[in-house]
Amino acid sequence: MSGFVDWLSHSLHVVLGFGAAGAAIIALSVGKGSKLHKQAGWIFSVFMLVAAITAWQFMIARPLPLAMIQATVTIYALGTAVLALNPHWRHARRGEIAFALLIGLLMASAWFTSARLFMGGINLWPAPLLLSAILGYFFILDVRYLRRQDVPKIDRVRRHALRMALAVSETVRAPMLTFSDELGVPFPAIVFGTFLLIPIIFFAFAPKDKRAAAA
């Protein structure tokens, strides 16, 4: 029975991952704020959330630190993206604080991992240090955002766009890591190279002014 459950979970994870990728392409291709954009965005968010949860389920049996971080970052990205556009939701503020603490914890964990590798004379220490810096960037943005009393809609929409770009980068990163041997691309190149998608997507699709944000 457990074998069937594992197979079902893996199959669901793969199907939802590809479905989320398709929804992301649609959301990026249509007019921002349109009905189709919102529907595709919700499908992407739900599919990626379930995929991240199933990934965590796999980690219970076979812990993989990088996969755990990926799944957690995905949940953080989706949560903060959704809450950015829905500040009126009950406990939205508490949720944003919780997500900020989550990314801060991941940042600290990556930093301590780097420190341990450095002290142990292992030359892989720059990788978690760089990851800590990337996560730290989002943590700093969260702290600055949470300190503001009144956030204009343009800033909330841009916050949403940046977090969605982060989630999309995770969508691309996961299958590339799985098939890294077939692709012939080193692990570090995939892990950090896909982070470059974030500024590309953000600057290409985030609203530039208040009129675009109001669309």
Side-chain angles (χ1 to χ4, degrees):
M1 184 66 180
S2 60
F4 173 75
V5 173
D6 288 342
W7 174 85
L8 184 62
S9 297
H10 279 82
S11 299
L12 181 64
H13 180 83
V14 172
V15 170
L16 290 176
F18 280 107
I25 293 173
I26 294 174
L28 292 172
S29 302
V30 301
K32 306 303 168 284
S34 66
K35 183 178 180 180
L36 183 56
H37 173 79
K38 293 177 181 178
Q39 291 175 338
W42 275 114
I43 292 173
F44 170 78
S45 299
V46 173
F47 280 19
M48 281 298 292
L49 177 60
V50 178
I53 292 173
T54 55
W56 259 104
Q57 179 187 349
F58 306 152
M59 295 307 105
I60 295 176
R62 291 181 297 176
L64 296 172
L66 181 58
M68 290 177 171
I69 291 175
Q70 281 187 253
T72 306
V73 169
T74 298
I75 294 172
Y76 159 83
L78 295 172
T80 50
V82 171
L83 290 178
L85 297 184
N86 298 280
H88 58 281
W89 282 3
R90 187 178 182 183
H91 304 312
R93 181 74 172 179
R94 294 181 181 178
E96 289 177 327
I97 293 174
F99 282 122
L101 293 175
L102 177 63
I103 202 69
L105 182 62
L106 285 177
M107 174 194 69
S109 176
W111 189 90
F112 280 116
T113 299
S114 176
R116 289 181 59 187
L117 292 175
F118 178 78
M119 294 179 67
I122 302 175
N123 60 7
L124 294 176
W125 63 267
L129 183 62
L130 179 55
L131 179 60
S132 176
I134 295 172
L135 299 178
Y137 171 74
F138 285 93
F139 177 71
I140 291 172
L141 290 181
D142 285 347
V143 171
R144 293 177 60 185
Y145 176 82
L146 291 170
R147 292 181 63 182
R148 300 171 65 179
Q149 296 298 320
D150 186 23
V151 181
K153 183 177 180 180
I154 177 66
D155 291 340
R156 286 191 280 109
V157 173
R158 289 172 66 82
R159 174 178 170 82
H160 166 83
L162 183 62
R163 269 61 185 183
M164 277 301 197
L166 174 60
V168 170
S169 76
E170 294 295 335
T171 308
V172 175
R173 183 178 301 111
M176 288 189 69
L177 288 175
T178 302
F179 298 103
S180 60
D181 290 339
E182 289 81 355
L183 294 172
V185 181
F187 243 62
I190 295 176
V191 172
F192 296 108
T194 46
F195 275 118
L196 295 176
L197 289 172
I198 299 174
I200 293 174
I201 294 174
F202 178 75
F203 288 113
F205 299 100
K208 306 298 188 298
D209 51 38
K210 294 182 180 179
R211 184 180 302 175

